[in-house]
Amino acid sequence: MDNRFKIKLGISIGDTNGIGPEVVIKTLADQRILNFCTPVIYASADLLKQVKEGLREDHFQFQQVDSAQALVPRKVNAIACWEHELEVTPGNPTPASGKASLDSLQAACRDLKAGLLDGLVTAPINKDNIQSEDFRFPGHTEFLTSYFDAPESLMLLVSEGLRVATVTGHMPVKDVSAKLTEELLIRKMTILLDSLQKDFGILKPRIAVLGLNPHAGEQGLLGCEEVEIIRPAVLHMKDRGYLVFGPYPADGFFGMRQFQQVDAVLAMYHDQGLIPFKTLAFESGVNYTAGLPIVRTSPDHGTAYDIAAKHTASETSFREALFLAYDIIRKRQAAAMPAV
């Protein structure tokens, strides 16, 4: 790899009528970021100029290039990935903004798969208007898992002092119980433990597993999943020598801040894990997709149409997503180097 570029991070722009372009530009206006990575934004120059002018962000500068093979070191690079003129209507999701978000994501993924990038940071998409023949997935996580041919992945929310993963992802709550199996939990715990070691440098990670039902089922009184599925999966991992504990009642676990005693928490479903996580770390939280052969992070918020173009969106989560991608890539690169 040409070390003039340091780490090359692709950035998909997300829904162009949401806050994605704004938080990307606010983040990259800090020129110090160029000291450790080369950002590559997949979006048109017209869009970036329009958002920059609206923000009056003079510190943001970028270099338009034709492809990832023509990147300019120590510059923010931009690669156009749609040819049509894009009408930007902040706050209003449209078919055009959904298509632009998909064009950006696909272009970044192609370059990442070709080895032209070291990692990917995704700005928020609208899970409805991005749907098409090329995208029939509940969200980024499922699309990337399929695109990069991973057998399985894990949604892992990360902030300082708190990591929360979910066994099931973007699916109706009514379907969660039927989805849970001992084998699924074992696979998800294995991905989480492996990621904590490989991506976060934790030699002997400790994870807490939450129950599905209130009070973790009360020994079967309030549900049988803990007795029949979750507890056996935990014991299986313990028998293999891993530091896995639970199942814990979710409310008491977070209320008593027991997460401070472990390296990560495994929740059974999306809101069980994300509600406490976002309550505790909404500004700085990052969504990381563990289990993939590539590194992908994103901010932990959505398109936030209600504040689009009001210029009040915080870039903190996106900036943290960029930093986390950089840190994980460095750890993977260091681990891949031959011992001297």
Side-chain angles (χ1 to χ4, degrees):
M1 183 179 70
D2 189 338
N3 60 15
R4 293 178 303 155
F5 294 101
K6 303 183 182 296
I7 284 173
K8 293 176 281 189
L9 287 177
I11 296 172
S12 60
I13 202 64
D15 192 289
T16 52
N17 289 332
I19 64 169
E22 176 179 342
V23 298
V24 169
I25 286 175
K26 284 181 173 179
T27 298
L28 299 182
D30 187 342
Q31 297 291 305
R32 292 174 296 181
I33 286 174
L34 300 176
N35 292 330
F36 63 87
C37 75
T38 298
V40 187
I41 308 173
Y42 288 80
S44 70
D46 288 342
L47 172 68
L48 297 177
K49 290 174 182 177
Q50 181 177 340
V51 177
K52 172 186 173 179
E53 290 170 3
L55 289 171
R56 298 181 181 177
E57 184 53 83
D58 294 334
H59 291 102
F60 173 73
Q61 304 292 334
F62 68 93
Q63 178 71 45
Q64 186 173 12
V65 295
D66 293 331
S67 69
Q69 289 99 331
L71 299 181
V72 180
R74 297 194 59 80
K75 297 283 186 182
V76 175
N77 290 255
I79 298 176
C81 47
W82 58 78
E83 296 180 358
H84 59 281
E85 185 175 341
L86 179 67
E87 181 181 3
V88 179
T89 56
N92 300 299
T94 64
S97 69
K99 185 178 186 308
S101 68
L102 180 57
D103 290 342
S104 175
L105 178 62
Q106 289 178 318
C109 285
R110 282 194 296 269
D111 285 346
L112 183 55
K113 201 168 194 175
L116 302 173
L117 302 172
D118 298 302
L120 173 66
V121 185
T122 61
I125 59 172
N126 179 311
K127 294 177 178 60
D128 179 38
N129 74 353
I130 196 173
Q131 297 296 321
S132 70
E133 290 295 326
D134 295 324
F135 193 104
R136 296 189 181 277
F137 301 92
H140 273 122
T141 301
E142 296 82 1
F143 169 80
L144 293 166
T145 304
S146 173
Y147 190 92
F148 289 99
D149 303 314
E152 196 136 33
S153 64
L154 183 74
M155 182 187 297
L156 177 57
L157 281 295
V158 178
S159 73
E160 185 174 355
L162 178 61
R163 301 181 189 92
V164 178
T166 63
V167 175
T168 58
H170 299 109
M171 64 185 305
V173 174
K174 67 180 178 64
D175 297 335
V176 170
S177 178
K179 178 73 172 177
L180 295 179
T181 65
E182 184 179 341
E183 293 76 16
L184 175 64
L185 263 70
I186 289 170
R187 294 199 305 269
K188 296 294 187 179
M189 283 188 275
T190 301
I191 294 172
L192 179 55
L193 289 162
D194 181 65
S195 180
L196 291 172
Q197 292 177 321
K198 179 176 67 177
D199 299 329
F200 295 89
I202 302 170
L203 185 62
K204 195 69 174 175
R206 301 159 297 166
I207 65 172
V209 180
L210 302 181
L212 173 67
N213 298 294
H215 306 289
E218 290 279 19
Q219 300 302 314
L221 180 65
L222 302 178
C224 61
E225 289 85 357
E226 288 77 11
V227 174
E228 296 179 359
I229 299 171
I230 303 173
R231 181 66 177 162
V234 169
L235 291 176
H236 175 86
M237 299 302 286
K238 278 178 173 275
D239 289 344
R240 295 174 60 191
Y242 295 109
L243 301 178
V244 179
F245 310 98
Y248 294 95
D251 57 349
F253 181 86
F254 284 104
M256 296 174 65
R257 303 184 77 83
Q258 289 175 278
F259 60 84
Q260 295 176 335
Q261 301 168 17
V262 295
D263 298 299
V265 181
L266 184 63
M268 293 299 107
Y269 60 95
H270 184 281
D271 282 15
Q272 184 188 54
L274 269 65
I275 288 174
F277 180 88
K278 291 190 176 184
T279 299
L280 294 166
F282 187 72
E283 284 290 321
S284 60
V286 176
N287 181 2
Y288 172 55
T289 308
L292 299 182
I294 54 90
V295 174
R296 175 261 174 165
T297 63
S298 74
D300 71 347
H301 57 73
T303 53
Y305 292 121
D306 56 321
I307 60 170
K310 294 183 179 179
H311 308 150
T312 59
S314 171
E315 72 275 20
T316 302
S317 182
F318 190 88
R319 182 172 62 244
E320 291 299 319
L322 190 145
F323 289 159
L324 180 62
Y326 170 83
D327 288 342
I328 293 174
I329 291 166
R330 286 293 303 271
K331 283 186 174 67
R332 289 192 179 187
Q333 288 179 343
M337 292 180 64
V340 179

